[in-house]
Amino acid sequence: MSAEDERAASPRDEEWPEAEKAEKLARGAALKWASGVFYRPEKLEGLGHYRSRETQRNSSIQSRLKSTVQSYLEGVSAGLEQLRSAAHEVQSVCQDLGAARWALLDSADQFQGLQHMRALMEEHVQLASVVQVLPQLFSVHEVFSHTLQLLHGQHLLEAHVELMMMEHLRDDILSQLHLRGLSGAQATVLSYFGGLQQINESLAKQLWDIVGSSLRLVREDPVLFVTAVRIIEREEKIDDTLLLEATFLPPGRPKGWRQKFYHVLQNTITGAHFHTARMDAEGSGLAKHLAALQKDIVSELCVVKDLMVQCVPAHYNILSVCTATYHQALTSHLQEILWEDLDKQGLFLLLEWALHVYHSPEMMGHPDLLPEVDVSTLGPLMSPELVDQTERRYVVKVKASVLEWMQRTLDVEFKEWFREEEPETDHQGFFQSALPIIVMQMLNENIQVASLITDSLQQKVYNMALEELEAFLGRLREALVQCGKEHQKDRTVPKYYVSYLLAMLNNNLALSNSVSSLHPNTAHREVPASLQAALDRMQKKACQLLLEELLLDLQPLCLQLPSRKWLSGSQVVSSMCEVIDKYAKDFSRVRKPVFTLLLTETELLVVSQYLRALMQKKMVCKNREERRQLCDRMLQDATQLRELFCGLGLDRSQQSLEAVFALRELICLKDPALLSLEVLGFLAKYPDVSDEHISTLLDLRGDVSKEVRHVVLEMMAQHPQVVPEGYRPIFSTILVPVPELPFCLRKGKCA
């Protein structure tokens, strides 16, 4: 390529860099293709064929390119021609607009006269509208009179049509005045249409009277009720339309008659059943009232479900509304009843009715009401708090009644103790009275009645029953004490004092065995500790009174111990055995556990009295012979008493007479020097023995020197004993007489 060609190509390459790049790519592709095709010498023979084929192909491509470029050039030429034409047209329009502008400016003064024409035209339109409604305006009062006649004849639909027409006429006039800002003229229009208020009130009164009698009308003549509902729905649609437009709201709108319909219906239901005069809160008055409510509510809801639902639109949900109204009214009504001072029967009826009857198939679960009526979504008729409060009130009333009956039972029982005949017996010959049966039956009946309401009420009554039973046992124990005091004054009163004490022990045992049956849960029937303690105190007091009675008969015999006469062979202990045997026969009229307890306590009492008599320092053995006689007498007495109690059924392991045998060994010991060892063994068996007891026994021997006494007492001081748990005390209940002070001159006052 020459220098001129390079200079000629250089501007082109700068102007079309993409063409040079494309050419280089094409050359590269051609070289690549040629090297792939002619890589072998024998392939060069087809070079001419390839050249001719490529030449034809290039020619075809060039012709297509020329055709395409030619079509593009023709399109550009046509577009340029259209642009020239549009430019000429725009220039022409601008000239025309300019001419029109100058023409308008020239005629502006002529348009001022058209304003007056426009005002006249608007006035003409208004006057034409007034002329059109003049006949209606002139007939307004006549229409009012006719509408009132229709209302008096109960032609409610026709009367309502005329009312709507008059209201529409008035509202249209008021709307026009409002749009033109003529608010001052509205008062005149309202005054002219003042009769509409009277018609509205008269129609509304009739409608609400019909709604108030709806439950009767849907059964007798539903047409009147349906008419009232249609009128209410018309007014509701008018309210909705005016509220949607929201440009002008006429006076008295919205009427809200649908809400008024619900309000009147609810007031009717409430007033018919729940605003009655104050009922009798006691006796059968409340029961009759609740039964009437149950019957009326079911009957009226059936009417609503079967008849009224068909007379009102579906969106009224009239059955749900009535159900909710009854439910809410009942809730308030029951609270009002609870404000009264109801007795326990009234409180029970109310709880049973609210918690059970209300949801039962006899009322809201009636087959004729299901499944449409469902009060489960309305909440409980009585709140849990109110139920708990009412249950507590009921328990207080029941408690007062139980207290009264128990006190009456106790008074009767107390009087029976002073009868001139023995208490009644059961089929086994055990003394008893009707007291346990009466008390337990009373408590059990109240607990069972409470179980008909709720488990919580049953538990509350159960707790109350245990508390009252515990208090009753306390009063019964006090009555026994009072009876004992009367008997101390005169042992012939009551005549069968011991028999009735035994009967009370059997009664106490019967109560103890029956308490567990009161518990609502059969799996948990433990007797509470406080109640068991009260039963134990009651049993202990009755046993104590019996033992005191026995002691009164034993004391004259015990006073004869010890004595020289007793040593020589007195029948004191034999007499004591006769007294004990007599009482044991009476004790056999109580059941086994208490009988064994009485025998055990009697044996302990006899042993204590026997030992107490020995320690009264009435006698001191003068010589070995008297000590031998004393030992023999003690052996005979203890053996006789042991045989007696064994014969009565008291096992030797349960007896305390071993203390008499052990004491005899101390007295029978021939060598006083060995007393310290014997006393130590005695002390190990009977840790409640004191220094005074041992000193008194040493005095009874009559041969113990001061040195030996000192050694014995010193030994006891060196070996203090601890009373083990479960040990039955013997000596701790025996008081030793206090020795007289040696420095007192006489038994009067000290010098």
Side-chain angles (χ1 to χ4, degrees):
M1 184 178 291
S2 63
E4 290 80 2
D5 294 335
E6 291 179 357
R7 286 192 297 268
S10 179
R12 185 189 65 183
D13 294 340
E14 293 176 359
E15 186 177 357
W16 303 98
E18 293 82 0
E20 181 181 3
K21 184 177 180 181
E23 184 176 355
K24 289 180 180 180
L25 290 174
R27 287 180 180 277
L31 287 173
K32 186 177 180 181
W33 175 81
S35 64
V37 174
F38 302 108
Y39 68 94
R40 293 170 60 184
E42 60 267 17
K43 292 292 183 178
L44 293 176
E45 295 177 358
L47 181 60
H49 172 70
Y50 283 114
R51 182 182 289 119
S52 62
R53 190 180 70 178
E54 292 300 323
T55 301
Q56 291 176 2
R57 184 172 148 190
N58 286 337
S59 299
S60 174
I61 291 172
Q62 288 177 3
S63 64
R64 287 201 302 271
L65 286 172
K66 289 178 182 179
S67 175
T68 301
V69 170
Q70 183 64 31
S71 64
Y72 284 162
L73 290 175
E74 290 176 356
V76 171
S77 177
L80 291 173
E81 187 62 29
Q82 290 175 358
L83 286 173
R84 292 191 194 97
S85 176
H88 289 304
E89 291 177 357
V90 168
Q91 186 177 6
S92 176
V93 170
C94 287
Q95 291 175 357
D96 292 341
L97 286 174
R101 178 173 177 274
W102 288 110
L104 286 172
L105 291 174
D106 293 339
S107 59
D109 296 336
Q110 299 176 5
F111 290 143
Q112 297 297 327
L114 295 176
Q115 295 293 337
H116 179 63
M117 182 66 69
R118 181 183 293 110
L120 291 175
M121 183 189 68
E122 291 178 355
E123 185 178 357
H124 175 73
V125 171
Q126 294 175 2
L127 291 173
S129 299
V130 172
V131 169
Q132 290 178 357
V133 300
L134 277 177
Q136 296 177 341
L137 289 174
F138 288 141
S139 63
V140 163
H141 295 287
E142 182 181 350
V143 173
F144 285 170
S145 300
H146 183 251
T147 304
L148 288 173
Q149 292 177 0
L150 291 174
L151 289 176
H152 293 154
Q154 287 196 337
H155 300 291
L156 302 183
L157 286 176
E158 294 85 346
H160 186 248
V161 169
E162 294 193 358
L163 174 63
M164 287 192 298
M165 180 184 66
M166 291 296 101
E167 285 184 337
H168 179 71
L169 176 62
R170 180 200 64 182
D171 297 344
D172 186 55
I173 295 172
L174 291 175
S175 177
Q176 294 296 326
L177 294 175
H178 175 74
L179 292 175
R180 287 164 177 75
L182 301 175
S183 58
Q186 291 183 1
T188 303
V189 175
L190 291 174
S191 176
Y192 186 76
F193 285 91
L196 284 176
Q197 181 67 24
Q198 179 186 357
I199 296 174
N200 258 305
E201 293 175 354
S202 178
L203 175 60
K205 183 178 183 303
Q206 291 199 38
L207 290 179
W208 309 141
D209 289 343
I210 292 171
V211 173
S213 306
S214 56
L215 290 171
R216 176 180 58 82
L217 290 175
V218 295
R219 285 179 289 188
E220 299 175 358
D221 183 15
V223 175
L224 200 57
F225 177 69
V226 173
T227 299
V229 174
R230 289 179 62 186
I231 293 173
I232 291 170
E233 281 301 291
R234 285 179 183 175
E235 291 293 338
E236 199 68 21
K237 290 179 181 178
I238 295 173
D239 285 346
D240 293 342
T241 302
L242 292 173
L243 290 172
L244 286 174
E245 293 176 355
T247 55
F248 172 72
L249 200 61
R253 292 289 180 180
K255 292 184 179 180
W257 279 7
R258 186 187 295 166
Q259 289 301 321
K260 182 67 175 178
F261 168 86
Y262 291 135
H263 183 68
V264 171
L265 183 62
Q266 291 167 349
N267 285 344
T268 300
I269 291 174
T270 304
H273 304 290
F274 308 109
H275 289 166
T276 55
R278 182 170 179 255
M279 77 218 50
D280 184 9
E282 298 182 2
S284 60
L286 180 59
K288 292 179 180 178
H289 178 67
L290 294 177
L293 281 179
Q294 176 182 344
K295 178 182 177 182
D296 294 344
I297 290 173
V298 173
S299 174
E300 291 177 5
L301 281 177
C302 287
V303 171
V304 174
K305 173 179 172 289
D306 298 333
L307 299 176
M308 187 179 289
V309 169
Q310 303 174 16
C311 300
V312 298
H315 63 267
Y316 270 50
N317 293 323
I318 193 67
L319 183 58
S320 299
V321 170
C322 290
T323 302
T325 300
Y326 281 115
H327 185 84
Q328 294 166 4
L330 274 175
T331 300
S332 302
H333 187 56
L334 294 183
Q335 291 179 357
E336 292 175 358
I337 295 176
L338 285 172
W339 290 342
E340 303 288 340
D341 186 19
L342 300 177
D343 59 3
K344 69 172 185 178
Q345 182 182 0
L347 293 170
F348 177 84
L349 284 173
L350 213 59
L351 286 169
E352 181 188 30
W353 198 85
L355 299 179
H356 298 290
V357 175
Y358 182 68
H359 298 277
S360 69
E362 285 75 26
M363 196 169 176
M364 304 309 281
H366 197 281
D368 294 342
L369 298 178
L370 298 177
E372 289 82 356
V373 174
D374 183 13
V375 295
S376 61
T377 60
L378 301 177
L381 200 60
M382 293 176 66
S383 66
E385 295 78 12
L386 184 59
V387 170
D388 182 70
Q389 178 184 353
T390 306
E391 287 180 352
R392 294 182 185 280
R393 287 179 58 188
Y394 175 76
V395 171
V396 171
K397 297 290 185 180
V398 173
K399 181 177 181 179
S401 176
V402 168
L403 177 61
E404 180 183 354
W405 276 98
M406 281 188 166
Q407 187 59 46
R408 192 177 303 172
T409 303
L410 180 58
D411 294 341
V412 173
E413 185 73 17
F414 187 79
K415 291 178 181 178
E416 287 185 353
W417 295 345
F418 294 87
R419 292 192 308 173
E420 293 295 322
E421 57 186 33
E422 287 187 335
E424 62 184 42
T425 59
D426 61 7
H427 65 284
Q428 294 178 320
F430 297 120
F431 288 131
Q432 66 174 13
S433 70
L435 182 139
I437 298 176
I438 295 173
V439 171
M440 297 308 296
Q441 183 177 359
M442 183 193 318
L443 298 178
N444 190 58
E445 285 179 357
N446 281 285
I447 294 172
Q448 294 302 317
V449 168
S451 69
L452 301 176
I453 304 300
T454 60
D455 292 340
S456 63
L457 180 60
Q458 186 182 20
Q459 188 63 41
K460 289 185 180 73
V461 174
Y462 170 74
N463 294 336
M464 178 276 299
L466 295 187
E467 292 174 0
E468 286 305 303
L469 181 56
E470 183 177 342
F472 173 75
L473 289 171
R475 295 193 299 273
L476 183 59
R477 181 172 173 271
E478 293 174 359
L480 282 179
V481 173
Q482 181 63 33
C483 181
K485 291 179 180 179
E486 296 293 331
H487 186 68
Q488 287 177 359
K489 297 176 182 178
D490 183 358
R491 293 192 66 189
T492 62
V493 178
K495 181 178 181 180
Y496 296 98
Y497 177 68
V498 172
S499 299
Y500 279 101
L501 286 177
L502 296 173
M504 291 314 301
L505 283 172
N506 283 325
N507 290 343
N508 191 73
L509 184 61
L511 288 173
S512 179
N513 295 333
S514 303
V515 167
S516 59
S517 64
L518 295 177
H519 201 291
N521 189 351
T522 56
H524 301 85
R525 290 193 165 182
E526 299 86 359
V527 178
S530 60
L531 179 57
Q532 187 61 53
L535 290 167
D536 293 342
R537 287 193 298 270
M538 174 65 194
Q539 177 177 282
K540 184 177 180 181
K541 175 54 67 175
C543 290
Q544 178 186 345
L545 293 175
L546 283 170
L547 294 176
E548 288 176 356
E549 186 69 6
L550 171 62
L551 183 60
L552 289 176
D553 290 338
L554 289 178
Q555 276 181 341
L557 299 174
C558 292
L559 291 175
Q560 301 177 27
L561 300 175
S563 63
R564 297 290 188 282
K565 182 180 180 181
W566 168 65
L567 286 178
S568 61
S570 174
Q571 299 298 317
V572 174
V573 174
S574 297
S575 301
M576 292 174 63
C577 289
E578 292 177 1
V579 173
I580 295 169
D581 186 63
K582 171 181 173 296
Y583 274 88
K585 289 180 180 179
D586 291 335
F587 293 167
S588 65
R589 308 296 289 274
V590 295
R591 297 190 177 275
K592 187 70 174 178
V594 183
F595 173 70
T596 303
L597 174 65
L598 283 173
L599 281 182
T600 304
E601 294 298 325
T602 299
E603 191 266 347
L604 180 61
L605 175 66
V606 172
V607 171
S608 299
Q609 293 301 315
Y610 190 88
L611 294 176
R612 180 180 284 108
L614 292 178
M615 295 183 183
Q616 295 303 310
K617 298 182 178 181
K618 295 180 180 179
M619 187 187 81
V620 176
C621 295
K622 297 179 179 179
N623 50 48
R624 180 176 296 180
E625 179 61 24
E626 285 192 356
R627 282 194 296 275
R628 184 188 63 79
Q629 292 179 358
L630 176 61
C631 291
D632 293 342
R633 175 52 58 185
M634 291 178 65
L635 178 61
Q636 292 177 12
D637 292 348
T639 303
Q640 186 177 1
L641 290 171
R642 173 180 286 176
E643 291 175 354
L644 172 65
F645 283 105
C646 287
L648 294 175
L650 187 64
D651 191 77
R652 290 180 62 173
S653 61
Q654 299 174 288
Q655 297 180 16
S656 303
L657 282 166
E658 189 62 33
V660 179
F661 289 102
L663 186 62
R664 173 183 172 276
E665 294 297 328
L666 288 178
I667 297 175
C668 292
L669 188 65
K670 295 181 179 180
D671 187 0
L674 299 177
L675 279 173
S676 58
L677 295 177
E678 289 294 330
V679 169
L680 186 61
F682 188 83
L683 189 62
K685 290 183 181 180
Y686 305 100
D688 63 329
V689 70
S690 65
D691 298 351
E692 291 80 5
H693 293 132
I694 296 299
S695 181
T696 303
L697 292 174
L698 296 179
D699 290 340
L700 182 61
R701 281 180 58 93
D703 64 342
V704 179
S705 64
K706 293 182 180 180
E707 291 77 9
V708 173
R709 183 188 302 272
H710 177 73
V711 170
V712 171
L713 297 178
E714 184 69 22
M715 180 271 303
M716 291 183 65
Q718 293 175 359
H719 297 83
Q721 300 294 315
V722 177
V723 178
E725 185 177 357
Y727 173 78
R728 291 185 65 195
I730 299 176
F731 291 93
S732 60
T733 60
I734 300 174
L735 299 179
V736 178
V738 179
E740 294 182 0
L741 296 177
F743 51 81
C744 285
L745 297 178
R746 55 183 181 273
K747 293 184 179 181
K749 297 181 180 180
C750 293

